[in-house]
């Protein structure tokens, strides 16, 4: 009889503990090796709503770090950029269109001073990469002629 009462109490306790646990998601780690011998490791933490990407050189020394701030559905809404010493160098916030593409990035200094923005132009359908990138300084003046973007989404070198 005592063992039956103990077993019942144990089941009630286990049920209450199980129902009190929260599921925040799984932390995901990805490491990429680059052609120049460097590598980057990204840790996505759903509980913190961040993705931290750390870049190291061939000697395994930290070169820089970026913390992406994640919004709904773990889509980046901004980023904080750090140097090798861990000091904030600048911050960015992203504006997205209906196809969830970044259309504008606003840059600020570590202390929040506005530095400028980058505008991405898309001329194709919702799945296409940006076809043009335009940079503006803190005064709103276009910095240089708009750059065409190559097939992989990177600005083409001007000759």
């Amino acid at each position: 009889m005592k063992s039956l009462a103990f077993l019942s109490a144990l089941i009630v306790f286990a049920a209450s503990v199980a129902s009190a646990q929260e599921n925040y998601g799984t932390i995901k780690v990805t490491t990429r090796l680059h052609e120049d011998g460097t590598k980057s490791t990204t840790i996505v933490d759903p509980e913190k709503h961040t993705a931290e990407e750390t870049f190291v050189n061939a000697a395994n020394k930290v070169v820089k770090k970026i913390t992406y701030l994640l919004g709904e559905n773990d889509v980046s809404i901004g980023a904080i950029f750090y140097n090798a010493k861990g000091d904030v160098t600048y911050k960015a916030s992203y504006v997205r269109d209906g196809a969830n593409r970044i259309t504008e990035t606003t840059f600020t200094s570590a202390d929040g001073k506005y530095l400028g923005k980058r505008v991405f132009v898309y001329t194709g359908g919702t799945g296409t990469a940006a076809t043009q990138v335009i940079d503006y300084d803190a005064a709103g003046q276009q910095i240089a002629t708009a750059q065409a973007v190559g097939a992989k989404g990177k600005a083409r070198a001007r000759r």
Side-chain angles (χ1 to χ4, degrees), residues 79-93:
I80 304 169
F81 297 82
Y82 302 85
N83 63 17
K85 296 179 182 179
D87 301 321
V88 175
T89 54
Y90 65 97
K91 299 176 184 180
S93 61

Side-chain angles (χ1 to χ4, degrees), residues 23-30 42-48 50:
N23 184 7
Y24 291 108
T26 303
I27 293 174
K28 180 181 176 186
V29 179
T30 305
T42 304
I43 301 171
V44 178
D45 188 336
E47 183 178 342
K48 292 181 181 178
T50 60

